[in-house]
Amino acid sequence: MSAPLFLVEALPTGDTLTLDGPEGHHAATVQRLRVGEELLLADGRGGTAAAVVTAVGRGSLEVTVTSRGYADAPVPRLVTVQGIAKGDRGELAVQAMTEVGVDEIVPWAASRSVVQWRGDRGVRAREKWVATAREAAKQARRPWLPVVAGAPDESTATVARRIAGAAAGFVLHEEAEEPLTGVDLPSAGEIVLVVGPEGGIAPAELTAFREAGGRPVRLGPEVLRTSTAGVAALSVLATRLGRW
């Protein structure tokens, strides 16, 4: 099994580090790492450091760095616009998309979203997405932490502008005839993928995305849930782009 990954604000400049706080608690108390075991530190911005545990404290570890590395940000950049969903479906989508390599997630206040992020509720909901992405990135041993956009969410007009400025924009739609497996993909820039909420994408929204340059595409004859459509589409893109 690969060494567990822990996120730190900044990688140590020296050869030793005290891993404390929430990450230290998780390493020492939850995962119960012991002296001699290996772990991986990451700053979420591509930098990594392999380390070995030299001492275990109460909710903290002392580690010695054994090697350092850096992973370039993947190109093209994969951005998923995720329609806000009810319950935990949005968080499930964020978790799965992070595990398969999404680079940015944009919470979208679609007209057919059952749940609307307003005021403090919206801020808390977005924070859950951020926390979910962070934990999923650690589980997947990702050196780059996905960005969660929004303050706390984005409007249809903002999403349309994002599509217009991207190298390519694709809108998952059950009535589309063109399959995602057959479209031309750029080698650089951003690929923006739009996933609708439970109620689907409204005609006016689809028109706005088309006018911005977005192309409606489908994955297959089945109609997927909002919590699974994004991860399925990202899997297609990751395979076609050679990430997998």
Side-chain angles (χ1 to χ4, degrees), residues 173-184:
H173 198 275
E174 62 184 280
E175 296 179 2
E177 296 182 357
E178 188 173 23
L180 182 59
T181 52
V183 297
D184 292 332

Side-chain angles (χ1 to χ4, degrees), residues 3-228:
L5 182 145
F6 298 93
L7 288 167
V8 293
E9 288 298 321
L11 294 172
T13 56
D15 293 334
T16 62
L17 172 75
T18 299
L19 184 65
D20 53 15
E23 294 292 80
H25 171 77
H26 188 74
T29 307
V30 180
Q31 293 205 2
R32 297 181 180 273
L33 295 184
R34 295 294 178 254
V35 172
E37 293 191 88
E38 297 179 343
L39 56 84
L40 189 65
L41 303 172
D43 60 9
R45 300 177 296 278
T48 59
V52 62
V53 179
T54 56
V56 180
R58 194 169 189 177
S60 67
L61 298 177
E62 300 293 332
V63 303
T64 296
V65 175
T66 56
S67 65
R68 300 174 188 273
Y70 180 80
D72 291 328
V75 291
R77 198 163 179 268
L78 299 179
V79 179
T80 300
V81 175
Q82 175 67 52
I84 295 172
K86 64 181 179 180
D88 62 354
R89 291 179 182 176
E91 290 165 45
L92 290 173
V94 170
Q95 179 183 30
M97 291 190 295
T98 299
E99 290 175 3
V100 300
V102 72
D103 298 303
E104 182 173 352
I105 301 167
V106 179
W108 170 36
S111 64
R112 291 180 177 174
S113 290
V114 175
V115 175
Q116 298 293 321
W117 288 3
R118 295 289 182 269
D120 291 342
R121 177 183 180 182
V123 173
R124 290 193 299 271
R126 180 186 174 278
E127 288 174 350
K128 285 185 179 180
W129 281 29
V130 172
T132 298
R134 180 183 176 88
E135 292 307 308
K138 288 169 56 179
Q139 187 278 328
R141 277 57 161 184
R142 288 190 54 175
W144 282 89
L145 186 62
V147 174
V148 177
D153 53 20
E154 300 287 5
S155 67
T156 297
T158 302
V159 172
R161 288 194 294 270
R162 190 68 180 266
I163 293 172
F170 303 110
V171 183
L172 297 183
H173 198 275
E174 62 184 280
E175 296 179 2
E177 296 182 357
E178 188 173 23
L180 182 59
T181 52
V183 297
D184 292 332
L185 299 178
S187 59
E190 282 189 352
I191 297 176
V192 175
L193 179 73
V194 180
V195 181
E198 296 99 325
I201 298 174
E205 293 167 335
L206 183 60
T207 297
F209 297 152
R210 280 181 180 272
E211 291 176 349
R215 296 168 62 180
V217 295
R218 65 179 304 141
L219 293 170
E222 296 81 14
V223 177
L224 303 184
R225 290 180 181 270
T226 186
S227 56
T228 55

